[in-house]
Every structure is written in C-alpha cells, then in structure tokens.
Amino acid sequence: MAWTTISKSIEQWGTIPHLHDYEAVRSHFSWEQARLDLEGLPHGQGLNIAHEAVVRHAKGARAAHLAIRWLGKSGTVEDYSYGRLNELTNRFANVLHRLGVSTGDRVFVLAGRIPELYIAALGTLKNRSVFCPLFSAFGPEPIRARLTIGQAKVLVTTSTLYQRKVAAIRSAIPSLEQVLIIGEDRQPTAINGTQDLGVLMQQASPEFMIGPTNPEDMALLHFTSGTTGTPKGAVHVHQAVVAHHMTGKYALDFHQDDRFWCTADPGWVTGTSYGIIAPLTNGITSIVDEAEFDAERWYRTLQDQQISIWYTAPTAIRMMMKSGADLVRKYDLRRLRFLASVGEPLNPEAVLWGREAFGHPFHDNWWQTETGGIMIANYAAMDIRPGSMGRPLPGIEAAVARRTDSGVEIVEEPNAQGELALRAAWPSMFRGYWNEPERYHKCFVGGWYLTGDLAKRDEDGYFWFVGRADDVIKTSGHLIGPFEVESVLIEHKAVAEAGVIGKPDPVAMEVVKAFVSLKDGYIPSDELRRELLGFARARLGAVVAPKEITFLPTLPKTRSGKIMRRLLKARELGLPEGDTSTLEAVS
Ligand code: AMP
C-alpha cells in the first residue's frame, strides 16, 4: 500500500500527549488500572457516569471551573460551572424521582443542543434511569418507532417539537407516562397531557444523593440501524465511563486546561460519549453550539472560544474545504492544537487540508454506536497515514476477520480485506440490543465482536476503512437503515415496492436514494415523485427521507422475494452486477 506520512516531532505536539509512547502504554495497559483514574461512588457503592462527570468535580477543586459554555443560536451565552451543573442535574434527578421514575426506566430526550438536554442526560444518570437521546431532526415515524421499541416512560422535549412531531403519535406509545416540556424561550407552557419542566425544576430540591450503582447497570440506550428490521437499541452500562474517560485522554488528548468542542449532536452516540460525558469526566471545558453548520460561524467560535481540541466530522470538513483555506486564515486560531474527525471515511485530502488551513492535520478515528467509545485512532503523537483510521486504543484488540462455517478466521496477512473485528469485551461495549438477544448474539463469533465494516490492516498495524459489509447508509455522518425508509414509502397508496440505497455524494458521502415500483393504475410522473418525496419527508424528517426517487417497473428480487439493494446500487453506479444467480426471473 502506498501512503504519505505526516510525521510529528515533539515541538509540533505543543503539549506532551498522554499517549506519547503508544507501545509502552499499550503493553502495560489494563482496564482495572484505567478504572483507578475515576473515583467511584462514596463508600464503595459502585460506579455512576454522572458522579464521575459532575459530582466529583463539583465537590472538589474544580467546582468553579467552567464545565459547559452554551452558545445559543441567536447570540446568547450561558456558562455552567461544575458546581452549577451539579445543582441543576440534582434538581432534574429529583424531578424524576418525584414522578416515580426509577432505576432502569427509559427517559428519552428530543431536543436540539440546548442546556436542558445536557442537564436531563446527567440528571437521568444520577437517578439511575436510562438516558435515550433522539435526534431532533427526526420526523414523527422514527420518533414513534424508537419510543415504542425502547418502552419510553418519560419524554423531555420542547413545546415546538412536541406539537410538530409528538402530539399526533402520543396515543401510539402506551408506555409513555410523562412528557416534560421546555417552553419557548423557557417560558412556562401549558399543553394538555404534559408538565412544564421549568416549573418542576424550580420546585425540586438542589440536593440529591446518587444511589448505589452497579457498574453493569444500564445507563444509555442509543438507537442505531441495521440492513433489515426495526432500529436497534444498543444498551450501554455505567461502566462505559471508564472507556469514555480513557479515550478522552488517549485519543483526544484532553489536558486540564483544554477547551473542547465536539460538533456532533447528542442525538447520535458521538454527541453523548464525547459531547457530554468524556470532557466532563476529564474536568475540562466543553463548548456547545446550538446553531447548525456555517463555516464562518464555526471559525469565529474556534477563535472566540479559544478552542484547543476540536472533534468534528468529514462532511463538515468537506463543506469547509469548499469555502477555502483563505477564509480560515482570517481568524486567530493559535490556541487550536488537536483536530479529530469521526463518523465516515476521512479522505486523505481532508487530512492534509487541515494542515494547510489550520496548521494541524485532522486525526481520523473510528468507532460506532455499539462500541460506545473510540476504538481506533490517529493519536496526537503518532505519524499519520492520511486515509487510515489509525491504530487500536490501548486495551483494544482489533483484527481483520472472515466468517467461516465453523466460526471466524483472523486474517493475519497484511493488506488483506475482511470484516473489522474487536476482541470482546471492553467497558463501553454494548451489552445487548434492547429486547433482541438474538440480534445481539449474532454479532459475536468466537470471542470477537464483528462490526459490519470492511477493513484492511497494513504491515505496521494501521487500519484502513474499506466500506460497509451491509446495506446501511451513511449520509452526512448519520446512519440510516434502508428498511426504515422503505417501510414508510410503501405506506403510500401508489407504491407497490421500494428499495433504498446510499448513492455516493462528494460532500455528504452518500445520499438516500429510493427506487419505487407503482401499483397498477398509477403512472410515474414528476408530480408523483414530488408527492412521494414530500410524503417521506413529512414522516421521516429531512435527514432520513430520500433525496431522489427513480421509478422502475419492478425491483430486482431474490427468488425468496428479498429486494436486491446491492444490484440496484450496482446498476445505479454502472458497476458490474456480481453474482445474480439468486435473482428472481422476471416474466
Ligand atoms: P454510528 O454507529 O452511527 O456511529 O456509525 C458507525 C459507522 O460509521 C461505522 O460502523 C462505520 O461504518 C462508520 N464510521 C465511523 N467512523 C468512521 C471512520 N473513521 N472511517 C470510516 N467509517 C467510519
């Protein structure tokens, strides 16, 4: 394999990275030792994420230190010290407690990046309930599906999102006992069947004692998508905090005085593990921006907030590249010292563009909802091979594997392709798919967790992403299950069959594209296409809905009737069709 290498010297590091000697740390590493970096609940009562993220700092020397600075869309700035965050999250935990919400109950939050989301997440963990984030751009259908599968007991949302997306589906979710509303501009709101969160918070006590928490108690439920079936709820436990904390140090190189900005939305796993938990357990300052992507706003934020570590995503980097490096140079970004990226393949040009525009390359890292934390990374101290995801974290054994009839075979030969596998287990490994033990067990073969990604490992142990082994779609960093989209399309009266693929896109990596065949009596037209696009968008939300629809007389299917998305994709891209021996004969 040919690659360029970006070598680093001690002078370029600025701060000595925690992982400056990868081999040495890796060879001595143990998760038991890593756990000792955390405090644990008093009197040996276990391990709780919120204690590590908030309480231990609030009770110690960092009580007055800035934990979260929130930048509102329209210019408001709110500061939350560790002490204040502790008090507010205590209040939220008391709100839940008073409402009879107990250990293990699922508390969903559907909100943009507003302070209440962060307070609800951490307060839920204090109450030993389960925090389940929902992406605020989802339409009513993905929201309904996730609330139903996760058997939501509580939903925290804004008055606007409730009225637009939840009110009409509420009766379809019988488990949902409480809806707590954040009013417009935090003004008290009276909506039938809901309670005003602001009022409840005022009435609640600012004192709360976290109860005994078993490290294996469920803490987080993150929904993700597969090729088939409904969305899957990946279960994470309190013990995951050991990995959040350690990867914050080793993969993102958090040091005490850092100001960190994770641009991911907490509706997805990165925005929770690294947008909420890891910076707080490490006691640093996290910047949260409510606004959506805008290159100039982002550069101004990096400058004005004196960001030193920045964790973002390839789609955003590609959008910045479009507006050019000259724009970046108008800003004083001297404090910036480490740039990282996750979520999709990061093209080598983007890594190098980071160096040209910001003076530092982007450091790609790899992980997924199921792994709970970063597994493979380009560390601050290491020589980067642009295009590679880097090397496994200390404590993580990664390999390229092939499924065989009897189990799994590890591919030792360098640069050979196979499925990326991780040796089970590590603290943030998912402990199940909620209520779907079979789907969970299928992911593990011979002691390895098989990730569903195809990868290669080179002679020096760097991992290179090849593609997905399944049909899930990555669009602007969001993982979309084709089945969820197809299911909505076939609800339309004109649609007989739908097949959904990811169509390559230079910025978003892939866009959702649907192929549709119509029922008798319906004729393809631009008007019907627009109607279907609007129909899907209203139900699924803009991120999940298809951007393109092509009508076909019939869709290619296997003899057992499964739509062959692989073939649809090959035909769309003009690629060889591969093995079509299972293709149903079309009469
Ligand atoms: P999610 O579970 O939504 O976080 O998506 C995880 C998936 O995103 C992975 O299984 C990969 O397919 C993809 N992914 C994440 N990080 C990277 C990366 N650095 N390079 C390539 N693909 C990535």
Side-chain angles (χ1 to χ4, degrees):
M1 218 180 269
W3 53 74
T4 34
T5 300
I6 301 181
S7 301
K8 302 239 188 100
S9 61
I10 293 196
E11 300 76 59
Q12 283 165 316
W13 290 342
T15 308
I16 300 283
H18 289 293
L19 202 53
H20 65 275
D21 190 345
Y22 174 79
E23 301 297 348
V25 175
R26 195 173 162 78
S27 64
H28 291 109
F29 183 87
S30 78
W31 287 110
E32 292 70 34
Q33 195 67 31
R35 158 71 181 79
L36 300 179
D37 235 20
L38 297 171
E39 191 176 64
L41 288 170
H43 317 296
Q45 296 212 314
L47 187 67
N48 183 295
I49 296 176
H51 177 87
E52 304 305 329
V54 185
V55 184
R56 72 167 171 146
H57 303 304
K59 301 260 183 248
R62 288 180 97 70
H65 192 75
L66 185 58
I68 295 178
R69 168 166 290 170
W70 177 70
L71 311 175
K73 265 190 227 167
S74 46
T76 330
V77 176
E78 288 179 19
D79 283 349
Y80 296 84
S81 65
Y82 280 93
R84 182 162 178 230
L85 194 59
N86 192 33
E87 187 201 306
L88 290 165
T89 51
N90 281 349
R91 283 181 189 269
F92 188 84
N94 281 316
V95 167
L96 292 183
H97 188 69
R98 231 189 72 202
L99 293 172
V101 181
S102 52
T103 311
D105 287 340
R106 272 82 53 217
V107 176
F108 281 71
V109 180
L110 172 70
R113 291 179 295 278
I114 54 175
E116 286 79 358
L117 184 160
Y118 297 78
I119 292 161
L122 295 158
T124 298
L125 294 168
K126 282 186 169 178
N127 193 49
R128 294 172 293 162
S129 307
V130 177
F131 171 61
C132 318
L134 286 171
F135 188 41
S136 58
F138 278 153
E141 179 48 34
I143 294 171
R144 187 206 56 75
R146 287 157 178 78
L147 291 172
T148 307
I149 297 166
Q151 296 156 297
K153 182 157 182 176
V154 180
L155 172 67
V156 178
T157 189
T158 65
S159 49
T160 315
L161 289 169
Y162 183 76
Q163 271 146 348
R164 272 203 217 140
K165 303 184 177 190
V166 184
I169 55 160
R170 170 107 190 244
S171 60
I173 311 143
S175 66
L176 189 58
E177 289 177 14
Q178 300 288 345
V179 176
L180 311 183
I181 296 284
I182 304 145
E184 195 69 39
D185 294 326
R186 295 176 179 144
Q187 294 304 310
T189 9
I191 303 177
N192 248 348
T194 71
Q195 304 214 48
D196 184 85
L197 180 61
V199 172
L200 296 176
M201 288 283 281
Q202 267 168 24
Q203 292 165 350
S205 158
E207 302 294 331
F208 185 85
M209 177 86 82
I210 300 179
T213 312
N214 186 315
E216 286 297 312
D217 281 350
M218 184 172 167
L220 307 161
L221 183 65
H222 281 295
F223 279 91
T224 183
S225 299
T227 300
T228 54
T230 50
K232 309 176 273 191
V235 172
H236 290 282
V237 296
H238 279 274
Q239 177 137 237
V241 70
V242 180
H244 297 143
H245 182 77
M246 182 280 266
T247 51
K249 256 172 79 170
Y250 285 162
L252 298 175
D253 201 37
F254 292 159
H255 284 72
Q256 285 236 318
D257 295 325
D258 276 316
R259 291 168 77 98
F260 171 64
W261 185 22
C262 169
T263 62
D265 190 281
W268 304 91
V269 72
T270 305
T272 300
S273 295
Y274 298 97
I276 307 180
I277 301 169
L280 296 179
T281 66
N282 281 280
I284 63 170
T285 298
S286 210
I287 306 296
V288 172
D289 185 12
E290 186 192 15
E292 293 312 321
F293 174 81
D294 172 80
E296 294 208 55
R297 180 180 169 104
W298 278 29
Y299 303 147
R300 206 174 333 109
T301 300
L302 290 169
Q303 168 188 271
D304 295 353
Q305 300 309 324
Q306 308 238 317
I307 308 287
S308 53
I309 304 182
W310 184 29
Y311 194 22
T312 189
T315 296
I317 299 169
R318 289 190 288 264
M319 292 200 291
M320 288 184 270
M321 286 169 79
K322 279 180 133 185
S323 50
D326 286 346
L327 186 60
V328 184
R329 294 198 194 97
K330 289 191 185 154
Y331 296 84
D332 177 359
L333 305 179
R334 261 174 295 177
R335 199 80 215 264
L336 203 54
R337 69 174 178 85
F338 186 69
L339 277 52
S341 163
V342 73
E344 317 152 52
L346 183 66
N347 15 344
E349 308 79 61
V351 175
L352 299 168
W353 185 77
R355 198 169 57 167
E356 182 198 335
F358 299 98
H360 305 277
F362 282 100
H363 295 72
D364 189 19
N365 59 53
W366 178 95
W367 61 291
Q368 54 179 197
T369 305
E370 287 84 346
T371 71
I374 301 170
M375 298 283 108
I376 297 178
N378 287 283
Y379 311 105
M382 91 190 214
D383 294 347
I384 296 178
R385 292 183 181 167
S388 158
M389 308 187 287
R391 301 174 74 188
L393 264 283
I396 300 299
E397 191 183 341
V400 172
R402 284 193 196 127
R403 291 176 197 249
T404 62
D405 290 343
S406 55
V408 72
E409 174 204 337
I410 298 303
V411 182
E412 301 293 351
E413 186 195 334
N415 304 317
Q417 181 176 317
E419 189 166 347
L420 179 60
L422 303 167
R423 167 83 74 190
W426 57 96
S428 65
M429 187 182 85
F430 70 136
R431 299 297 197 264
Y433 286 126
W434 179 251
N435 280 343
E436 293 191 276
E438 247 182 68
R439 233 172 160 180
Y440 180 69
H441 291 302
K442 271 193 194 152
C443 304
F444 294 86
V445 186
W448 292 89
Y449 163 63
L450 295 167
T451 65
D453 280 0
L454 300 174
K456 294 179 183 177
R457 185 173 46 82
D458 69 24
E459 303 68 6
D460 303 313
Y462 285 66
F463 282 80
W464 300 74
F465 183 79
V466 173
R468 288 286 309 190
D470 57 20
D471 289 338
V472 294
I473 300 161
K474 258 280 157 133
T475 178
S476 301
H478 307 314
L479 199 74
I480 309 291
F483 183 74
E484 201 168 10
V485 183
E486 291 159 1
S487 304
V488 160
L489 283 169
I490 59 173
E491 278 173 24
H492 190 279
K493 58 184 189 305
V495 176
E497 303 170 312
V500 168
I501 63 159
K503 177 181 167 181
D505 180 86
V507 176
M509 197 181 121
E510 290 186 316
V511 291
V512 180
K513 161 143 200 182
F515 295 86
V516 159
S517 72
L518 298 176
K519 287 185 183 153
D520 287 348
Y522 291 91
I523 300 164
S525 68
D526 283 345
E527 197 188 333
L528 183 55
R529 180 180 294 111
R530 274 195 300 276
E531 184 182 321
L532 288 176
L533 288 169
F535 177 86
R537 198 182 160 100
R539 280 157 185 77
L540 293 165
V543 211
V544 185
K547 300 270 180 298
E548 276 181 35
I549 294 182
T550 292
F551 295 112
L552 292 176
T554 53
L555 300 189
K557 287 187 284 302
T558 60
R559 284 191 208 107
S560 58
K562 256 174 71 181
I563 290 169
M564 293 178 82
R565 300 189 190 107
R566 179 182 59 73
L567 203 57
L568 286 170
K569 192 161 181 168
R571 288 177 182 170
E572 170 74 23
L573 303 181
L575 296 172
E577 296 195 355
D579 179 10
T580 52
S581 58
T582 60
L583 186 64
E584 172 197 58
V586 182
S587 53

